[in-house]
Short mmCIF file of all heavy atoms in Angstrom, two decimals:
data_model
loop_
_atom_site.label_atom_id
_atom_site.label_comp_id
_atom_site.label_asym_id
_atom_site.label_seq_id
_atom_site.Cartn_x
_atom_site.Cartn_y
_atom_site.Cartn_z
N LEU A 63 6.17 -7.40 6.05
CA LEU A 63 5.45 -8.40 6.78
C LEU A 63 5.91 -8.65 8.20
O LEU A 63 5.21 -9.20 9.07
CB LEU A 63 5.52 -9.74 5.94
CG LEU A 63 4.68 -9.92 4.75
CD1 LEU A 63 5.07 -11.21 4.02
CD2 LEU A 63 3.23 -10.02 5.17
N ALA A 64 7.10 -8.21 8.41
CA ALA A 64 7.59 -8.32 9.82
C ALA A 64 7.11 -7.34 10.78
O ALA A 64 7.16 -7.43 12.00
CB ALA A 64 9.20 -8.29 9.88
N LEU A 65 6.40 -6.29 10.22
CA LEU A 65 5.85 -5.31 11.18
C LEU A 65 4.56 -5.72 11.85
O LEU A 65 3.91 -6.62 11.25
CB LEU A 65 5.40 -4.01 10.37
CG LEU A 65 6.54 -3.21 9.55
CD1 LEU A 65 5.89 -2.16 8.68
CD2 LEU A 65 7.31 -2.47 10.72
N PRO A 66 4.27 -5.33 12.99
CA PRO A 66 3.13 -5.70 13.80
C PRO A 66 1.77 -5.40 12.96
O PRO A 66 1.80 -4.34 12.38
CB PRO A 66 3.23 -5.01 15.08
CG PRO A 66 4.65 -4.47 15.26
CD PRO A 66 5.11 -4.43 13.84
N ASP A 67 0.95 -6.32 13.05
CA ASP A 67 -0.39 -6.18 12.40
C ASP A 67 -0.39 -6.13 10.88
O ASP A 67 -1.38 -5.70 10.24
CB ASP A 67 -1.10 -4.88 12.87
CG ASP A 67 -1.40 -4.93 14.46
OD1 ASP A 67 -1.69 -6.00 14.94
OD2 ASP A 67 -1.21 -3.91 15.04
N SER A 68 0.78 -6.50 10.21
CA SER A 68 0.82 -6.60 8.82
C SER A 68 0.52 -8.12 8.41
O SER A 68 0.58 -8.98 9.14
CB SER A 68 2.17 -6.15 8.26
OG SER A 68 3.08 -7.14 8.57
N ALA A 69 0.11 -8.16 7.12
CA ALA A 69 -0.34 -9.42 6.56
C ALA A 69 -0.24 -9.43 5.06
O ALA A 69 -0.14 -8.31 4.49
CB ALA A 69 -1.70 -9.85 6.94
N LEU A 70 -0.35 -10.51 4.39
CA LEU A 70 -0.58 -10.47 2.91
C LEU A 70 -1.94 -9.84 2.69
O LEU A 70 -2.85 -10.01 3.51
CB LEU A 70 -0.67 -11.88 2.33
CG LEU A 70 0.81 -12.62 2.18
CD1 LEU A 70 0.59 -14.07 1.79
CD2 LEU A 70 1.76 -11.88 1.45
N PHE A 71 -1.93 -9.02 1.65
CA PHE A 71 -3.08 -8.24 1.22
C PHE A 71 -4.20 -9.02 0.72
O PHE A 71 -3.92 -9.81 -0.28
CB PHE A 71 -2.71 -7.02 0.37
CG PHE A 71 -3.74 -6.14 -0.08
CD1 PHE A 71 -4.47 -5.39 0.86
CD2 PHE A 71 -4.09 -6.04 -1.45
CE1 PHE A 71 -5.41 -4.58 0.40
CE2 PHE A 71 -5.01 -5.07 -1.81
CZ PHE A 71 -5.69 -4.37 -0.89
N SER A 72 -5.36 -8.88 1.29
CA SER A 72 -6.66 -9.54 0.72
C SER A 72 -7.63 -8.46 0.57
O SER A 72 -8.25 -8.04 1.52
CB SER A 72 -7.18 -10.53 1.75
OG SER A 72 -6.15 -11.60 1.99
N PRO A 73 -7.80 -7.92 -0.68
CA PRO A 73 -8.76 -6.86 -0.92
C PRO A 73 -10.13 -7.21 -0.53
O PRO A 73 -10.62 -8.30 -0.69
CB PRO A 73 -8.60 -6.62 -2.49
CG PRO A 73 -7.95 -7.66 -3.02
CD PRO A 73 -7.16 -8.44 -1.92
N GLY A 74 -10.74 -6.26 0.14
CA GLY A 74 -12.16 -6.44 0.46
C GLY A 74 -12.44 -7.58 1.58
O GLY A 74 -13.49 -8.13 1.58
N ARG A 75 -11.38 -7.82 2.19
CA ARG A 75 -11.42 -8.88 3.20
C ARG A 75 -11.82 -10.22 2.63
O ARG A 75 -12.49 -11.03 3.25
CB ARG A 75 -12.41 -8.45 4.36
CG ARG A 75 -11.89 -7.31 5.21
CD ARG A 75 -12.82 -7.08 6.32
NE ARG A 75 -12.32 -5.90 7.09
CZ ARG A 75 -12.07 -5.96 8.38
NH1 ARG A 75 -12.14 -6.95 9.04
NH2 ARG A 75 -11.64 -4.76 8.87
N SER A 76 -11.49 -10.44 1.36
CA SER A 76 -11.70 -11.65 0.75
C SER A 76 -10.65 -12.72 1.24
O SER A 76 -9.68 -12.39 1.96
CB SER A 76 -11.53 -11.51 -0.86
OG SER A 76 -10.16 -11.28 -1.16
N ARG A 77 -10.93 -13.88 0.77
CA ARG A 77 -9.94 -14.95 1.18
C ARG A 77 -8.78 -14.94 0.26
O ARG A 77 -7.81 -15.69 0.43
CB ARG A 77 -10.62 -16.38 1.23
CG ARG A 77 -11.63 -16.47 2.27
CD ARG A 77 -12.15 -17.85 2.34
NE ARG A 77 -12.98 -17.96 3.39
CZ ARG A 77 -13.75 -19.01 3.77
NH1 ARG A 77 -13.51 -20.13 3.02
NH2 ARG A 77 -14.50 -19.13 4.82
N ARG A 78 -8.89 -14.36 -0.84
CA ARG A 78 -7.80 -14.27 -1.92
C ARG A 78 -6.75 -13.42 -1.49
O ARG A 78 -6.94 -12.16 -1.32
CB ARG A 78 -8.39 -13.79 -3.26
CG ARG A 78 -7.44 -13.78 -4.37
CD ARG A 78 -8.04 -13.48 -5.73
NE ARG A 78 -6.98 -13.59 -6.71
CZ ARG A 78 -6.85 -12.67 -7.58
NH1 ARG A 78 -7.71 -11.64 -7.66
NH2 ARG A 78 -5.82 -12.82 -8.50
N GLN A 79 -5.59 -13.89 -1.37
CA GLN A 79 -4.41 -13.17 -1.04
C GLN A 79 -3.66 -12.74 -2.15
O GLN A 79 -3.37 -13.58 -3.08
CB GLN A 79 -3.51 -13.89 0.00
CG GLN A 79 -4.20 -14.10 1.39
CD GLN A 79 -3.42 -14.72 2.29
OE1 GLN A 79 -2.61 -15.70 1.93
NE2 GLN A 79 -3.46 -14.53 3.62
N PHE A 80 -3.15 -11.48 -2.25
CA PHE A 80 -2.19 -11.06 -3.35
C PHE A 80 -0.86 -11.27 -2.79
O PHE A 80 -0.42 -10.54 -1.96
CB PHE A 80 -2.42 -9.60 -3.56
CG PHE A 80 -3.82 -9.30 -4.35
CD1 PHE A 80 -4.82 -10.18 -4.40
CD2 PHE A 80 -3.87 -8.20 -5.09
CE1 PHE A 80 -6.03 -9.92 -4.98
CE2 PHE A 80 -5.04 -8.00 -5.79
CZ PHE A 80 -6.10 -8.79 -5.80
N ARG A 81 -0.16 -12.35 -3.26
CA ARG A 81 1.16 -12.65 -2.74
C ARG A 81 2.30 -11.53 -2.83
O ARG A 81 3.18 -11.52 -2.16
CB ARG A 81 1.63 -13.96 -3.33
CG ARG A 81 2.02 -13.97 -4.79
CD ARG A 81 2.48 -15.32 -5.21
NE ARG A 81 3.04 -15.14 -6.49
CZ ARG A 81 4.26 -14.99 -6.84
NH1 ARG A 81 5.21 -14.84 -5.82
NH2 ARG A 81 4.82 -14.92 -8.06
N ASP A 82 2.17 -10.68 -3.85
CA ASP A 82 3.05 -9.52 -4.05
C ASP A 82 2.81 -8.34 -3.27
O ASP A 82 3.56 -7.51 -3.24
CB ASP A 82 3.11 -9.15 -5.49
CG ASP A 82 3.75 -10.15 -6.44
OD1 ASP A 82 4.76 -10.88 -5.96
OD2 ASP A 82 3.51 -10.24 -7.65
N TRP A 83 1.64 -8.41 -2.53
CA TRP A 83 1.19 -7.31 -1.73
C TRP A 83 1.24 -7.55 -0.23
O TRP A 83 1.03 -8.67 0.17
CB TRP A 83 -0.21 -6.93 -2.23
CG TRP A 83 -0.44 -6.47 -3.61
CD1 TRP A 83 -0.17 -7.14 -4.72
CD2 TRP A 83 -0.85 -5.09 -3.90
NE1 TRP A 83 -0.50 -6.36 -5.87
CE2 TRP A 83 -0.89 -5.11 -5.38
CE3 TRP A 83 -1.14 -4.04 -3.18
CZ2 TRP A 83 -1.24 -3.91 -6.06
CZ3 TRP A 83 -1.53 -2.84 -3.88
CH2 TRP A 83 -1.60 -2.78 -5.30
N VAL A 84 1.32 -6.39 0.45
CA VAL A 84 1.36 -6.45 2.00
C VAL A 84 0.29 -5.46 2.46
O VAL A 84 0.28 -4.38 1.85
CB VAL A 84 2.76 -6.25 2.64
CG1 VAL A 84 2.56 -6.20 4.05
CG2 VAL A 84 3.72 -7.28 2.11
N ALA A 85 -0.47 -5.84 3.44
CA ALA A 85 -1.43 -4.90 4.02
C ALA A 85 -0.70 -4.31 5.35
O ALA A 85 -0.36 -5.10 6.22
CB ALA A 85 -2.73 -5.62 4.43
N LEU A 86 -0.60 -3.04 5.34
CA LEU A 86 0.03 -2.29 6.53
C LEU A 86 -1.12 -1.58 7.29
O LEU A 86 -1.94 -0.80 6.75
CB LEU A 86 0.99 -1.32 6.07
CG LEU A 86 2.19 -1.92 5.16
CD1 LEU A 86 3.18 -0.73 4.76
CD2 LEU A 86 2.91 -2.89 6.11
N ALA A 87 -1.20 -1.92 8.56
CA ALA A 87 -2.22 -1.30 9.45
C ALA A 87 -1.84 0.24 9.69
O ALA A 87 -0.63 0.63 9.55
CB ALA A 87 -2.24 -2.08 10.77
N PRO A 88 -2.79 1.07 10.06
CA PRO A 88 -2.52 2.48 10.39
C PRO A 88 -1.50 2.60 11.59
O PRO A 88 -0.93 3.55 11.63
CB PRO A 88 -3.86 3.00 10.82
CG PRO A 88 -4.89 2.00 10.28
CD PRO A 88 -4.20 0.68 10.15
N THR A 89 -1.37 1.54 12.38
CA THR A 89 -0.44 1.64 13.49
C THR A 89 1.02 1.66 13.01
O THR A 89 1.96 2.07 13.69
CB THR A 89 -0.62 0.49 14.49
OG1 THR A 89 -0.63 -0.75 13.72
CG2 THR A 89 -1.98 0.65 15.23
N ALA A 90 1.13 1.26 11.68
CA ALA A 90 2.39 1.26 11.00
C ALA A 90 2.51 2.36 10.18
O ALA A 90 3.28 2.42 9.09
CB ALA A 90 2.68 -0.10 10.23
N GLY A 91 1.82 3.48 10.39
CA GLY A 91 1.75 4.52 9.51
C GLY A 91 3.03 5.28 9.17
O GLY A 91 3.13 5.85 8.05
N ASP A 92 3.97 5.19 10.07
CA ASP A 92 5.29 5.82 9.77
C ASP A 92 5.84 5.08 8.68
O ASP A 92 7.00 5.54 7.98
CB ASP A 92 6.14 5.76 11.06
CG ASP A 92 5.66 6.74 12.12
OD1 ASP A 92 4.83 7.62 11.80
OD2 ASP A 92 6.17 6.61 13.27
N HIS A 93 5.50 3.88 8.35
CA HIS A 93 6.18 2.96 7.28
C HIS A 93 5.37 3.04 6.02
O HIS A 93 5.90 2.65 4.97
CB HIS A 93 6.29 1.63 7.81
CG HIS A 93 7.04 1.52 9.01
ND1 HIS A 93 8.37 1.33 9.04
CD2 HIS A 93 6.68 1.29 10.29
CE1 HIS A 93 8.79 1.25 10.30
NE2 HIS A 93 7.80 1.19 11.06
#
Side-chain angles (χ1 to χ4, degrees):
L63 281 175
L65 293 172
D67 301 320
S68 69
L70 288 177
F71 181 59
S72 296
R75 294 186 185 234
S76 69
R77 291 185 179 181
R78 182 172 181 227
Q79 294 180 326
F80 286 24
R81 68 179 190 90
D82 286 331
W83 291 68
V84 176
L86 299 175
T89 53
D92 290 345
H93 300 279

